[in-house]
Amino acid sequence: MSLRELEPADFDFVSAVIDAWWGGRPVRGMLPRLFFEHFNSTSFAIGPPGALHAFLVGFVSQSQPGLAYIHFVGVDPAQRGHGLARSMYERFFGTVGALGCTQVQCITSPVNTGSIAFHRRMGFELLPGDGEVDGVPVVLDHGGPGQPRVRFRKVL
């Protein structure tokens, strides 16, 4: 399967499947169309438009020089375990590194233990927070009231 830049045409497909890919969690509102229209050179997909197997949305921070941020990553549950996310992350690291970034940050929900384990395997470190959930440091209310998030950083 070929890895390519994410395209605006990918939005409709992703929007239709994203909640199901997250086990029914309502996450669709966290990924509006603007990400597909304005961050193409640092966002990636695997699969043809209308039938993606995986996608990654990331960008270079305008506020913090040298920092890149991964906003959202999705892999079709039927395709997990085949290295698709790893391939997209490695492409992202190479792309933003060539743009002068020296670190990548991202977040996940503390209930997403699979994501936490994946990021640790990819070499991300857990950043300190102002709370803890199940032994993992979190930033309380990061995603809004009652929505803690685990923060990660990887030095490139």
PDB file of all heavy atoms in Angstrom, residues 73-113:
ATOM      1  N   VAL A  73      -4.467  10.559  14.354  1.00  0.00           N
ATOM      2  CA  VAL A  73      -4.019   9.399  13.585  1.00  0.00           C
ATOM      3  C   VAL A  73      -5.120   8.356  13.657  1.00  0.00           C
ATOM      4  O   VAL A  73      -5.659   8.087  14.734  1.00  0.00           O
ATOM      5  CB  VAL A  73      -2.710   8.810  14.146  1.00  0.00           C
ATOM      6  CG1 VAL A  73      -2.265   7.608  13.329  1.00  0.00           C
ATOM      7  CG2 VAL A  73      -1.614   9.861  14.185  1.00  0.00           C
ATOM      8  N   GLY A  74      -5.443   7.767  12.530  1.00  0.00           N
ATOM      9  CA  GLY A  74      -6.446   6.714  12.509  1.00  0.00           C
ATOM     10  C   GLY A  74      -6.015   5.569  11.623  1.00  0.00           C
ATOM     11  O   GLY A  74      -5.450   5.783  10.553  1.00  0.00           O
ATOM     12  N   VAL A  75      -6.283   4.355  12.090  1.00  0.00           N
ATOM     13  CA  VAL A  75      -6.018   3.152  11.303  1.00  0.00           C
ATOM     14  C   VAL A  75      -7.284   2.294  11.351  1.00  0.00           C
ATOM     15  O   VAL A  75      -7.820   2.046  12.433  1.00  0.00           O
ATOM     16  CB  VAL A  75      -4.805   2.361  11.855  1.00  0.00           C
ATOM     17  CG1 VAL A  75      -4.587   1.079  11.058  1.00  0.00           C
ATOM     18  CG2 VAL A  75      -3.540   3.216  11.838  1.00  0.00           C
ATOM     19  N   ASP A  76      -7.732   1.871  10.206  1.00  0.00           N
ATOM     20  CA  ASP A  76      -8.879   0.974  10.120  1.00  0.00           C
ATOM     21  C   ASP A  76      -8.622  -0.214  11.053  1.00  0.00           C
ATOM     22  O   ASP A  76      -7.567  -0.842  10.973  1.00  0.00           O
ATOM     23  CB  ASP A  76      -9.019   0.496   8.674  1.00  0.00           C
ATOM     24  CG  ASP A  76     -10.168  -0.451   8.435  1.00  0.00           C
ATOM     25  OD1 ASP A  76     -10.691  -1.066   9.397  1.00  0.00           O
ATOM     26  OD2 ASP A  76     -10.548  -0.595   7.259  1.00  0.00           O
ATOM     27  N   PRO A  77      -9.547  -0.522  11.955  1.00  0.00           N
ATOM     28  CA  PRO A  77      -9.324  -1.637  12.886  1.00  0.00           C
ATOM     29  C   PRO A  77      -8.941  -2.949  12.194  1.00  0.00           C
ATOM     30  O   PRO A  77      -8.157  -3.729  12.744  1.00  0.00           O
ATOM     31  CB  PRO A  77     -10.663  -1.766  13.616  1.00  0.00           C
ATOM     32  CG  PRO A  77     -11.245  -0.391  13.567  1.00  0.00           C
ATOM     33  CD  PRO A  77     -10.822   0.166  12.225  1.00  0.00           C
ATOM     34  N   ALA A  78      -9.438  -3.172  10.986  1.00  0.00           N
ATOM     35  CA  ALA A  78      -9.098  -4.391  10.256  1.00  0.00           C
ATOM     36  C   ALA A  78      -7.660  -4.385   9.737  1.00  0.00           C
ATOM     37  O   ALA A  78      -7.136  -5.428   9.345  1.00  0.00           O
ATOM     38  CB  ALA A  78     -10.067  -4.588   9.085  1.00  0.00           C
ATOM     39  N   GLN A  79      -7.025  -3.218   9.745  1.00  0.00           N
ATOM     40  CA  GLN A  79      -5.652  -3.081   9.233  1.00  0.00           C
ATOM     41  C   GLN A  79      -4.608  -2.883  10.330  1.00  0.00           C
ATOM     42  O   GLN A  79      -3.418  -2.725  10.041  1.00  0.00           O
ATOM     43  CB  GLN A  79      -5.582  -1.900   8.258  1.00  0.00           C
ATOM     44  CG  GLN A  79      -6.464  -2.051   7.042  1.00  0.00           C
ATOM     45  CD  GLN A  79      -6.023  -3.196   6.159  1.00  0.00           C
ATOM     46  OE1 GLN A  79      -4.844  -3.491   6.026  1.00  0.00           O
ATOM     47  NE2 GLN A  79      -6.994  -3.876   5.551  1.00  0.00           N
ATOM     48  N   ARG A  80      -5.026  -2.867  11.572  1.00  0.00           N
ATOM     49  CA  ARG A  80      -4.082  -2.631  12.672  1.00  0.00           C
ATOM     50  C   ARG A  80      -3.113  -3.794  12.812  1.00  0.00           C
ATOM     51  O   ARG A  80      -3.444  -4.935  12.521  1.00  0.00           O
ATOM     52  CB  ARG A  80      -4.841  -2.383  13.969  1.00  0.00           C
ATOM     53  CG  ARG A  80      -5.592  -1.066  13.905  1.00  0.00           C
ATOM     54  CD  ARG A  80      -6.337  -0.738  15.161  1.00  0.00           C
ATOM     55  NE  ARG A  80      -7.101   0.500  14.934  1.00  0.00           N
ATOM     56  CZ  ARG A  80      -8.132   0.871  15.637  1.00  0.00           C
ATOM     57  NH1 ARG A  80      -8.541   0.139  16.664  1.00  0.00           N
ATOM     58  NH2 ARG A  80      -8.761   1.984  15.350  1.00  0.00           N
ATOM     59  N   GLY A  81      -1.914  -3.455  13.269  1.00  0.00           N
ATOM     60  CA  GLY A  81      -0.895  -4.475  13.469  1.00  0.00           C
ATOM     61  C   GLY A  81      -0.051  -4.758  12.240  1.00  0.00           C
ATOM     62  O   GLY A  81       0.773  -5.659  12.258  1.00  0.00           O
ATOM     63  N   HIS A  82      -0.231  -3.976  11.176  1.00  0.00           N
ATOM     64  CA  HIS A  82       0.527  -4.177   9.943  1.00  0.00           C
ATOM     65  C   HIS A  82       1.563  -3.091   9.699  1.00  0.00           C
ATOM     66  O   HIS A  82       2.109  -2.986   8.607  1.00  0.00           O
ATOM     67  CB  HIS A  82      -0.422  -4.265   8.745  1.00  0.00           C
ATOM     68  CG  HIS A  82      -1.376  -5.408   8.815  1.00  0.00           C
ATOM     69  ND1 HIS A  82      -0.997  -6.717   8.663  1.00  0.00           N
ATOM     70  CD2 HIS A  82      -2.712  -5.425   9.071  1.00  0.00           C
ATOM     71  CE1 HIS A  82      -2.051  -7.506   8.806  1.00  0.00           C
ATOM     72  NE2 HIS A  82      -3.110  -6.744   9.057  1.00  0.00           N
ATOM     73  N   GLY A  83       1.810  -2.228  10.685  1.00  0.00           N
ATOM     74  CA  GLY A  83       2.841  -1.211  10.560  1.00  0.00           C
ATOM     75  C   GLY A  83       2.426   0.054   9.832  1.00  0.00           C
ATOM     76  O   GLY A  83       3.281   0.885   9.504  1.00  0.00           O
ATOM     77  N   LEU A  84       1.127   0.241   9.586  1.00  0.00           N
ATOM     78  CA  LEU A  84       0.693   1.430   8.847  1.00  0.00           C
ATOM     79  C   LEU A  84       0.952   2.708   9.643  1.00  0.00           C
ATOM     80  O   LEU A  84       1.463   3.691   9.094  1.00  0.00           O
ATOM     81  CB  LEU A  84      -0.787   1.328   8.483  1.00  0.00           C
ATOM     82  CG  LEU A  84      -1.204   0.121   7.636  1.00  0.00           C
ATOM     83  CD1 LEU A  84      -2.694   0.191   7.316  1.00  0.00           C
ATOM     84  CD2 LEU A  84      -0.382   0.020   6.372  1.00  0.00           C
ATOM     85  N   ALA A  85       0.596   2.704  10.919  1.00  0.00           N
ATOM     86  CA  ALA A  85       0.834   3.900  11.741  1.00  0.00           C
ATOM     87  C   ALA A  85       2.330   4.187  11.846  1.00  0.00           C
ATOM     88  O   ALA A  85       2.756   5.336  11.708  1.00  0.00           O
ATOM     89  CB  ALA A  85       0.215   3.730  13.126  1.00  0.00           C
ATOM     90  N   ARG A  86       3.116   3.162  12.072  1.00  0.00           N
ATOM     91  CA  ARG A  86       4.570   3.339  12.151  1.00  0.00           C
ATOM     92  C   ARG A  86       5.106   3.985  10.871  1.00  0.00           C
ATOM     93  O   ARG A  86       5.912   4.911  10.923  1.00  0.00           O
ATOM     94  CB  ARG A  86       5.263   2.001  12.405  1.00  0.00           C
ATOM     95  CG  ARG A  86       6.789   2.103  12.404  1.00  0.00           C
ATOM     96  CD  ARG A  86       7.435   0.786  12.747  1.00  0.00           C
ATOM     97  NE  ARG A  86       7.209   0.425  14.137  1.00  0.00           N
ATOM     98  CZ  ARG A  86       7.904   0.907  15.169  1.00  0.00           C
ATOM     99  NH1 ARG A  86       8.872   1.782  14.957  1.00  0.00           N
ATOM    100  NH2 ARG A  86       7.649   0.525  16.395  1.00  0.00           N
ATOM    101  N   SER A  87       4.648   3.514   9.722  1.00  0.00           N
ATOM    102  CA  SER A  87       5.112   4.075   8.437  1.00  0.00           C
ATOM    103  C   SER A  87       4.762   5.553   8.321  1.00  0.00           C
ATOM    104  O   SER A  87       5.589   6.361   7.883  1.00  0.00           O
ATOM    105  CB  SER A  87       4.473   3.317   7.268  1.00  0.00           C
ATOM    106  OG  SER A  87       4.913   1.998   7.242  1.00  0.00           O
ATOM    107  N   MET A  88       3.546   5.915   8.723  1.00  0.00           N
ATOM    108  CA  MET A  88       3.142   7.324   8.633  1.00  0.00           C
ATOM    109  C   MET A  88       3.926   8.183   9.617  1.00  0.00           C
ATOM    110  O   MET A  88       4.345   9.294   9.287  1.00  0.00           O
ATOM    111  CB  MET A  88       1.636   7.463   8.862  1.00  0.00           C
ATOM    112  CG  MET A  88       0.799   6.851   7.756  1.00  0.00           C
ATOM    113  SD  MET A  88      -0.984   7.126   7.955  1.00  0.00           S
ATOM    114  CE  MET A  88      -1.296   6.398   9.559  1.00  0.00           C
ATOM    115  N   TYR A  89       4.138   7.694  10.835  1.00  0.00           N
ATOM    116  CA  TYR A  89       4.924   8.439  11.817  1.00  0.00           C
ATOM    117  C   TYR A  89       6.340   8.649  11.306  1.00  0.00           C
ATOM    118  O   TYR A  89       6.888   9.753  11.402  1.00  0.00           O
ATOM    119  CB  TYR A  89       4.953   7.697  13.155  1.00  0.00           C
ATOM    120  CG  TYR A  89       3.823   8.040  14.085  1.00  0.00           C
ATOM    121  CD1 TYR A  89       2.514   7.664  13.807  1.00  0.00           C
ATOM    122  CD2 TYR A  89       4.055   8.719  15.275  1.00  0.00           C
ATOM    123  CE1 TYR A  89       1.476   7.962  14.665  1.00  0.00           C
ATOM    124  CE2 TYR A  89       3.026   9.025  16.146  1.00  0.00           C
ATOM    125  CZ  TYR A  89       1.734   8.645  15.838  1.00  0.00           C
ATOM    126  OH  TYR A  89       0.708   8.953  16.695  1.00  0.00           O
ATOM    127  N   GLU A  90       6.959   7.611  10.765  1.00  0.00           N
ATOM    128  CA  GLU A  90       8.330   7.758  10.265  1.00  0.00           C
ATOM    129  C   GLU A  90       8.397   8.752   9.120  1.00  0.00           C
ATOM    130  O   GLU A  90       9.330   9.562   9.041  1.00  0.00           O
ATOM    131  CB  GLU A  90       8.877   6.391   9.874  1.00  0.00           C
ATOM    132  CG  GLU A  90       9.146   5.526  11.096  1.00  0.00           C
ATOM    133  CD  GLU A  90       9.520   4.090  10.781  1.00  0.00           C
ATOM    134  OE1 GLU A  90       9.450   3.676   9.595  1.00  0.00           O
ATOM    135  OE2 GLU A  90       9.861   3.367  11.737  1.00  0.00           O
ATOM    136  N   ARG A  91       7.406   8.747   8.246  1.00  0.00           N
ATOM    137  CA  ARG A  91       7.364   9.729   7.153  1.00  0.00           C
ATOM    138  C   ARG A  91       7.195  11.137   7.730  1.00  0.00           C
ATOM    139  O   ARG A  91       7.846  12.088   7.278  1.00  0.00           O
ATOM    140  CB  ARG A  91       6.218   9.384   6.200  1.00  0.00           C
ATOM    141  CG  ARG A  91       5.944  10.405   5.123  1.00  0.00           C
ATOM    142  CD  ARG A  91       6.862  10.245   3.907  1.00  0.00           C
ATOM    143  NE  ARG A  91       6.436  11.097   2.827  1.00  0.00           N
ATOM    144  CZ  ARG A  91       5.639  10.737   1.832  1.00  0.00           C
ATOM    145  NH1 ARG A  91       5.168   9.506   1.761  1.00  0.00           N
ATOM    146  NH2 ARG A  91       5.321  11.586   0.897  1.00  0.00           N
ATOM    147  N   PHE A  92       6.319  11.282   8.723  1.00  0.00           N
ATOM    148  CA  PHE A  92       6.120  12.577   9.371  1.00  0.00           C
ATOM    149  C   PHE A  92       7.427  13.062  10.000  1.00  0.00           C
ATOM    150  O   PHE A  92       7.820  14.216   9.813  1.00  0.00           O
ATOM    151  CB  PHE A  92       5.013  12.478  10.423  1.00  0.00           C
ATOM    152  CG  PHE A  92       4.700  13.785  11.101  1.00  0.00           C
ATOM    153  CD1 PHE A  92       3.912  14.740  10.473  1.00  0.00           C
ATOM    154  CD2 PHE A  92       5.180  14.064  12.367  1.00  0.00           C
ATOM    155  CE1 PHE A  92       3.615  15.950  11.093  1.00  0.00           C
ATOM    156  CE2 PHE A  92       4.888  15.264  13.001  1.00  0.00           C
ATOM    157  CZ  PHE A  92       4.105  16.214  12.352  1.00  0.00           C
ATOM    158  N   PHE A  93       8.120  12.195  10.734  1.00  0.00           N
ATOM    159  CA  PHE A  93       9.384  12.582  11.365  1.00  0.00           C
ATOM    160  C   PHE A  93      10.376  13.078  10.321  1.00  0.00           C
ATOM    161  O   PHE A  93      11.037  14.102  10.512  1.00  0.00           O
ATOM    162  CB  PHE A  93      10.011  11.411  12.122  1.00  0.00           C
ATOM    163  CG  PHE A  93       9.194  10.867  13.259  1.00  0.00           C
ATOM    164  CD1 PHE A  93       9.366   9.548  13.664  1.00  0.00           C
ATOM    165  CD2 PHE A  93       8.264  11.641  13.940  1.00  0.00           C
ATOM    166  CE1 PHE A  93       8.632   9.027  14.722  1.00  0.00           C
ATOM    167  CE2 PHE A  93       7.520  11.129  14.993  1.00  0.00           C
ATOM    168  CZ  PHE A  93       7.713   9.813  15.385  1.00  0.00           C
ATOM    169  N   GLY A  94      10.492  12.369   9.207  1.00  0.00           N
ATOM    170  CA  GLY A  94      11.411  12.786   8.150  1.00  0.00           C
ATOM    171  C   GLY A  94      11.004  14.103   7.516  1.00  0.00           C
ATOM    172  O   GLY A  94      11.843  14.972   7.270  1.00  0.00           O
ATOM    173  N   THR A  95       9.726  14.264   7.281  1.00  0.00           N
ATOM    174  CA  THR A  95       9.220  15.488   6.642  1.00  0.00           C
ATOM    175  C   THR A  95       9.443  16.703   7.529  1.00  0.00           C
ATOM    176  O   THR A  95       9.968  17.724   7.076  1.00  0.00           O
ATOM    177  CB  THR A  95       7.721  15.337   6.307  1.00  0.00           C
ATOM    178  OG1 THR A  95       7.567  14.244   5.388  1.00  0.00           O
ATOM    179  CG2 THR A  95       7.163  16.617   5.703  1.00  0.00           C
ATOM    180  N   VAL A  96       9.037  16.618   8.796  1.00  0.00           N
ATOM    181  CA  VAL A  96       9.179  17.795   9.668  1.00  0.00           C
ATOM    182  C   VAL A  96      10.631  18.015  10.075  1.00  0.00           C
ATOM    183  O   VAL A  96      11.038  19.155  10.302  1.00  0.00           O
ATOM    184  CB  VAL A  96       8.235  17.729  10.894  1.00  0.00           C
ATOM    185  CG1 VAL A  96       6.780  17.696  10.431  1.00  0.00           C
ATOM    186  CG2 VAL A  96       8.558  16.576  11.820  1.00  0.00           C
ATOM    187  N   GLY A  97      11.402  16.952  10.140  1.00  0.00           N
ATOM    188  CA  GLY A  97      12.832  17.116  10.406  1.00  0.00           C
ATOM    189  C   GLY A  97      13.499  17.917   9.296  1.00  0.00           C
ATOM    190  O   GLY A  97      14.322  18.798   9.555  1.00  0.00           O
ATOM    191  N   ALA A  98      13.137  17.639   8.052  1.00  0.00           N
ATOM    192  CA  ALA A  98      13.681  18.385   6.909  1.00  0.00           C
ATOM    193  C   ALA A  98      13.231  19.841   6.923  1.00  0.00           C
ATOM    194  O   ALA A  98      13.888  20.700   6.323  1.00  0.00           O
ATOM    195  CB  ALA A  98      13.249  17.712   5.603  1.00  0.00           C
ATOM    196  N   LEU A  99      12.136  20.124   7.632  1.00  0.00           N
ATOM    197  CA  LEU A  99      11.650  21.503   7.763  1.00  0.00           C
ATOM    198  C   LEU A  99      12.254  22.218   8.979  1.00  0.00           C
ATOM    199  O   LEU A  99      11.870  23.339   9.297  1.00  0.00           O
ATOM    200  CB  LEU A  99      10.120  21.511   7.871  1.00  0.00           C
ATOM    201  CG  LEU A  99       9.369  21.026   6.629  1.00  0.00           C
ATOM    202  CD1 LEU A  99       7.877  20.877   6.919  1.00  0.00           C
ATOM    203  CD2 LEU A  99       9.605  21.982   5.462  1.00  0.00           C
ATOM    204  N   GLY A 100      13.172  21.558   9.676  1.00  0.00           N
ATOM    205  CA  GLY A 100      13.857  22.180  10.799  1.00  0.00           C
ATOM    206  C   GLY A 100      13.309  21.830  12.173  1.00  0.00           C
ATOM    207  O   GLY A 100      13.781  22.374  13.180  1.00  0.00           O
ATOM    208  N   CYS A 101      12.358  20.945  12.253  1.00  0.00           N
ATOM    209  CA  CYS A 101      11.810  20.567  13.565  1.00  0.00           C
ATOM    210  C   CYS A 101      12.763  19.619  14.282  1.00  0.00           C
ATOM    211  O   CYS A 101      13.371  18.736  13.668  1.00  0.00           O
ATOM    212  CB  CYS A 101      10.448  19.906  13.411  1.00  0.00           C
ATOM    213  SG  CYS A 101       9.193  21.046  12.812  1.00  0.00           S
ATOM    214  N   THR A 102      12.871  19.807  15.583  1.00  0.00           N
ATOM    215  CA  THR A 102      13.742  18.960  16.399  1.00  0.00           C
ATOM    216  C   THR A 102      12.954  18.112  17.394  1.00  0.00           C
ATOM    217  O   THR A 102      13.531  17.273  18.067  1.00  0.00           O
ATOM    218  CB  THR A 102      14.762  19.815  17.171  1.00  0.00           C
ATOM    219  OG1 THR A 102      14.045  20.761  17.993  1.00  0.00           O
ATOM    220  CG2 THR A 102      15.695  20.547  16.210  1.00  0.00           C
ATOM    221  N   GLN A 103      11.648  18.353  17.492  1.00  0.00           N
ATOM    222  CA  GLN A 103      10.813  17.529  18.358  1.00  0.00           C
ATOM    223  C   GLN A 103       9.390  17.466  17.830  1.00  0.00           C
ATOM    224  O   GLN A 103       8.942  18.337  17.098  1.00  0.00           O
ATOM    225  CB  GLN A 103      10.832  18.013  19.803  1.00  0.00           C
ATOM    226  CG  GLN A 103      10.191  19.348  20.047  1.00  0.00           C
ATOM    227  CD  GLN A 103      10.075  19.675  21.524  1.00  0.00           C
ATOM    228  OE1 GLN A 103       9.395  18.973  22.272  1.00  0.00           O
ATOM    229  NE2 GLN A 103      10.759  20.731  21.947  1.00  0.00           N
ATOM    230  N   VAL A 104       8.713  16.389  18.242  1.00  0.00           N
ATOM    231  CA  VAL A 104       7.312  16.170  17.881  1.00  0.00           C
ATOM    232  C   VAL A 104       6.538  15.957  19.169  1.00  0.00           C
ATOM    233  O   VAL A 104       7.001  15.247  20.072  1.00  0.00           O
ATOM    234  CB  VAL A 104       7.164  14.935  16.970  1.00  0.00           C
ATOM    235  CG1 VAL A 104       5.696  14.622  16.704  1.00  0.00           C
ATOM    236  CG2 VAL A 104       7.923  15.130  15.664  1.00  0.00           C
ATOM    237  N   GLN A 105       5.374  16.569  19.256  1.00  0.00           N
ATOM    238  CA  GLN A 105       4.495  16.362  20.404  1.00  0.00           C
ATOM    239  C   GLN A 105       3.135  15.884  19.928  1.00  0.00           C
ATOM    240  O   GLN A 105       2.746  16.103  18.773  1.00  0.00           O
ATOM    241  CB  GLN A 105       4.338  17.651  21.217  1.00  0.00           C
ATOM    242  CG  GLN A 105       5.599  18.057  21.937  1.00  0.00           C
ATOM    243  CD  GLN A 105       5.395  19.251  22.850  1.00  0.00           C
ATOM    244  OE1 GLN A 105       4.275  19.710  23.080  1.00  0.00           O
ATOM    245  NE2 GLN A 105       6.483  19.768  23.378  1.00  0.00           N
ATOM    246  N   CYS A 106       2.419  15.231  20.826  1.00  0.00           N
ATOM    247  CA  CYS A 106       1.054  14.791  20.560  1.00  0.00           C
ATOM    248  C   CYS A 106       0.389  14.457  21.888  1.00  0.00           C
ATOM    249  O   CYS A 106       1.047  14.468  22.937  1.00  0.00           O
ATOM    250  CB  CYS A 106       1.016  13.597  19.610  1.00  0.00           C
ATOM    251  SG  CYS A 106       1.966  12.175  20.164  1.00  0.00           S
ATOM    252  N   ILE A 107      -0.904  14.193  21.830  1.00  0.00           N
ATOM    253  CA  ILE A 107      -1.660  13.840  23.035  1.00  0.00           C
ATOM    254  C   ILE A 107      -2.552  12.644  22.725  1.00  0.00           C
ATOM    255  O   ILE A 107      -2.800  12.322  21.559  1.00  0.00           O
ATOM    256  CB  ILE A 107      -2.534  15.002  23.557  1.00  0.00           C
ATOM    257  CG1 ILE A 107      -3.591  15.395  22.517  1.00  0.00           C
ATOM    258  CG2 ILE A 107      -1.688  16.189  23.969  1.00  0.00           C
ATOM    259  CD1 ILE A 107      -4.642  16.360  23.036  1.00  0.00           C
ATOM    260  N   THR A 108      -3.049  12.022  23.781  1.00  0.00           N
ATOM    261  CA  THR A 108      -4.085  11.007  23.653  1.00  0.00           C
ATOM    262  C   THR A 108      -4.900  11.000  24.933  1.00  0.00           C
ATOM    263  O   THR A 108      -4.503  11.586  25.943  1.00  0.00           O
ATOM    264  CB  THR A 108      -3.505   9.607  23.354  1.00  0.00           C
ATOM    265  OG1 THR A 108      -4.548   8.740  22.899  1.00  0.00           O
ATOM    266  CG2 THR A 108      -2.839   8.995  24.571  1.00  0.00           C
ATOM    267  N   SER A 109      -6.022  10.346  24.886  1.00  0.00           N
ATOM    268  CA  SER A 109      -6.859  10.193  26.070  1.00  0.00           C
ATOM    269  C   SER A 109      -6.273   9.092  26.952  1.00  0.00           C
ATOM    270  O   SER A 109      -5.766   8.091  26.437  1.00  0.00           O
ATOM    271  CB  SER A 109      -8.277   9.813  25.644  1.00  0.00           C
ATOM    272  OG  SER A 109      -9.053   9.480  26.764  1.00  0.00           O
ATOM    273  N   PRO A 110      -6.333   9.235  28.263  1.00  0.00           N
ATOM    274  CA  PRO A 110      -5.794   8.188  29.134  1.00  0.00           C
ATOM    275  C   PRO A 110      -6.536   6.859  29.007  1.00  0.00           C
ATOM    276  O   PRO A 110      -5.983   5.819  29.362  1.00  0.00           O
ATOM    277  CB  PRO A 110      -5.915   8.769  30.541  1.00  0.00           C
ATOM    278  CG  PRO A 110      -6.900   9.872  30.446  1.00  0.00           C
ATOM    279  CD  PRO A 110      -6.842  10.381  29.040  1.00  0.00           C
ATOM    280  N   VAL A 111      -7.757   6.858  28.471  1.00  0.00           N
ATOM    281  CA  VAL A 111      -8.460   5.592  28.270  1.00  0.00           C
ATOM    282  C   VAL A 111      -7.938   4.834  27.056  1.00  0.00           C
ATOM    283  O   VAL A 111      -8.193   3.643  26.907  1.00  0.00           O
ATOM    284  CB  VAL A 111      -9.997   5.777  28.142  1.00  0.00           C
ATOM    285  CG1 VAL A 111     -10.569   6.439  29.376  1.00  0.00           C
ATOM    286  CG2 VAL A 111     -10.362   6.535  26.887  1.00  0.00           C
ATOM    287  N   ASN A 112      -7.175   5.506  26.203  1.00  0.00           N
ATOM    288  CA  ASN A 112      -6.653   4.882  24.992  1.00  0.00           C
ATOM    289  C   ASN A 112      -5.296   4.234  25.288  1.00  0.00           C
ATOM    290  O   ASN A 112      -4.247   4.713  24.866  1.00  0.00           O
ATOM    291  CB  ASN A 112      -6.553   5.918  23.866  1.00  0.00           C
ATOM    292  CG  ASN A 112      -6.387   5.273  22.510  1.00  0.00           C
ATOM    293  OD1 ASN A 112      -5.974   4.123  22.397  1.00  0.00           O
ATOM    294  ND2 ASN A 112      -6.694   6.023  21.474  1.00  0.00           N
ATOM    295  N   THR A 113      -5.347   3.133  25.999  1.00  0.00           N
ATOM    296  CA  THR A 113      -4.111   2.455  26.423  1.00  0.00           C
ATOM    297  C   THR A 113      -3.307   1.930  25.240  1.00  0.00           C
ATOM    298  O   THR A 113      -2.082   1.870  25.302  1.00  0.00           O
ATOM    299  CB  THR A 113      -4.423   1.321  27.410  1.00  0.00           C
ATOM    300  OG1 THR A 113      -5.347   0.406  26.799  1.00  0.00           O
ATOM    301  CG2 THR A 113      -5.031   1.870  28.700  1.00  0.00           C
TER     302      THR A 113
END
